[in-house]
């Protein structure tokens, strides 16, 4: 037993130091190279908070336990919800009492209300952790993100452009490097997007501050701080990892849905 415990301790130590000792790939400006096709692999799009597995996104009372809503019963296992851990720092979203009631109403009417079902643009930060990849390509003079879902794109300003001239689904973003992290501030939302399939939502007063931090050649940490005084009692943060797609050199991967044909070089870089 002692030998097994020693082996486990060494294994954990190796994992914890792997991302630290590996040299980060860097671009011509010396900043970490985030170019590539990335994807988050978790259940945050179902529910940002911790949740058990359940039969469907929308349930109704049954004779003994809750059962799937009749309109989605035909989906069977495809419409079920996998269990997942919370990606919210601290575990819970700090809703106001009024907003929490609205969240619960949204959840009970998921089929009619979730913008994802209508194929509307996903908004920020939801676009990042939907079950589809997204592509980052950047240089010293530009930073662009293309998402596979709904052809969503974000052209991120590298200087503060001032207040957004109009509200929109994806908001107006501007970013800057702070050390080895690229931080993006986005506001000017129309208040019509959701944060996940469980009815978590926001108003048009939402401001999202994201941080993209490369951990090693294939892993990036994503963090988003959410502020909305009309909906939440205080700012709160989500954290998760995103993994890069590795493709064969003869078959470069790209996000075709967005109409952006930027190929991914061998080893994960874009160009």
């Amino acid at each position: 037993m002692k030998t097994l415990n020693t082996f486990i301790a060494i294994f954990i130590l190796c994992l914890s130091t792997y991302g630290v000792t590996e040299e980060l790939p860097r671009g011509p400006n010396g900043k970490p190279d985030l170019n590539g096709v990335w994807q988050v692999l978790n259940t945050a799009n179902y529910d940002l908070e911790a949740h058990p597995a359940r039969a469907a996104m929308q349930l109704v009372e049954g004779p003994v336990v809750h059962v799937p809503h009749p309109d989605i019963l035909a989906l069977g296992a495809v419409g079920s919800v996998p269990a997942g851990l919370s990606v919210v720092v601290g575990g819970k979203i700090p809703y106001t009492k009024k907003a929490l009631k609205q969240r619960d109403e949204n959840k009970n009417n998921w089929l009619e209300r979730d913008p994802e079902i209508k194929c509307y643009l996903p908004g920020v930060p939801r676009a990042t952790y939907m079950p589809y990849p997204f592509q980052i390509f950047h240089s010293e003079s530009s930073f662009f993100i293309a998402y596979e879902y709904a052809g969503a794109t974000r052209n991120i300003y590298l200087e503060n452009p001032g207040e957004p001239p109009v509200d929109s689904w994806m908001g107006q973003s501007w970013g800057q490097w702070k050390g080895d992290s690229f931080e993006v501030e986005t506001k000017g939302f129309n208040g019509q997007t959701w944060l996940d399939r469980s009815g978590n939502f926001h108003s048009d007063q939402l401001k999202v501050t994201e941080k993209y931090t490369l951990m090693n050649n294939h892993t990036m940490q994503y963090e988003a701080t959410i502020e909305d005084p009309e909906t939440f009692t205080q700012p709160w943060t989500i954290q998760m990892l995103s993994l890069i797609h590795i493709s064969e050199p003869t078959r470069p991967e790209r996000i075709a849905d967005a109409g952006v044909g930027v190929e991914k070089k061998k080893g994960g870089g874009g160009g």
Side-chain angles (χ1 to χ4, degrees):
M1 187 66 182
K2 183 177 180 180
T3 302
L4 177 61
N5 290 338
T6 301
F7 174 79
I8 293 175
I10 294 174
F11 180 71
I12 293 175
L13 179 62
C14 290
L15 287 180
S16 64
T17 59
Y18 176 69
V20 176
T21 57
E22 185 177 358
E23 184 176 349
L24 296 178
R26 295 182 181 273
N29 61 351
K31 298 300 183 181
D33 185 2
L34 304 180
N35 288 291
V37 178
W38 299 87
Q39 187 166 1
V40 171
L41 301 177
N42 61 21
T43 60
N45 190 52
Y46 286 97
D47 195 337
L48 291 173
E49 297 179 326
H51 55 278
R54 56 183 187 270
M57 284 303 310
Q58 188 171 336
L59 302 173
V60 296
E61 289 190 15
V64 179
V65 297
H66 284 77
V67 297
H69 189 283
D71 290 343
I72 56 177
L73 184 60
L75 292 175
V78 175
S80 62
V81 180
L85 299 175
S86 177
V87 297
V88 179
V89 176
K92 302 294 290 184
I93 299 175
Y95 278 107
T96 64
K97 290 183 179 180
K98 180 180 179 180
L100 182 59
K101 182 179 180 180
Q102 180 65 56
R103 191 281 306 270
D104 293 342
E105 290 180 2
N106 289 341
K107 186 174 183 178
N108 292 332
N109 294 276
W110 166 75
L111 192 62
E112 294 80 23
R113 297 186 181 183
D114 189 351
E116 180 188 2
I117 294 176
K118 303 174 178 65
C119 203
Y120 293 158
L121 290 173
V124 179
R126 190 178 186 182
T128 303
Y129 48 82
M130 295 189 78
Y132 313 101
F134 60 94
Q135 183 171 9
I136 295 177
F137 56 98
H138 66 96
S139 65
E140 294 184 49
S141 59
S142 64
F143 199 105
F144 191 89
I145 308 178
Y147 302 90
E148 183 172 322
Y149 177 79
T153 60
R154 296 170 69 190
N155 187 15
I156 298 173
Y157 293 99
L158 298 184
E159 293 183 3
N160 190 343
E163 292 299 310
V166 64
D167 292 341
S168 62
W169 292 90
M170 300 298 290
Q172 175 181 278
S173 301
W174 82 277
Q176 58 183 325
W177 287 99
K178 291 188 177 180
D180 280 348
S181 296
F182 189 70
E183 295 192 9
V184 182
E185 179 183 294
T186 306
K187 55 185 179 179
F189 295 99
N190 61 15
Q192 298 182 50
T193 62
W194 280 12
L195 300 174
D196 58 26
R197 294 176 178 173
S198 291
N200 288 306
F201 75 108
H202 59 84
S203 75
D204 60 3
Q205 298 302 303
L206 174 69
K207 183 176 83 169
V208 181
T209 304
E210 302 165 283
K211 181 186 292 186
Y212 299 81
T213 306
L214 194 65
M215 308 297 289
N216 50 48
N217 279 306
H218 54 269
T219 310
M220 176 173 63
Q221 178 170 288
Y222 176 76
E223 179 179 302
T225 298
I226 296 165
E227 301 175 65
D228 182 352
E230 287 194 10
T231 310
F232 311 112
T233 59
Q234 62 186 46
W236 54 282
T237 301
I238 58 173
Q239 292 179 339
M240 61 192 70
L241 295 179
S242 183
L243 303 178
I244 200 166
H245 282 214
I246 303 297
S247 60
E248 299 176 18
T250 56
R251 299 179 61 189
E253 190 168 2
R254 67 189 80 188
I255 302 298
D257 249 6
V260 179
V262 178
E263 298 182 355
K264 186 165 76 66
K265 298 177 182 177
K266 181 178 180 182

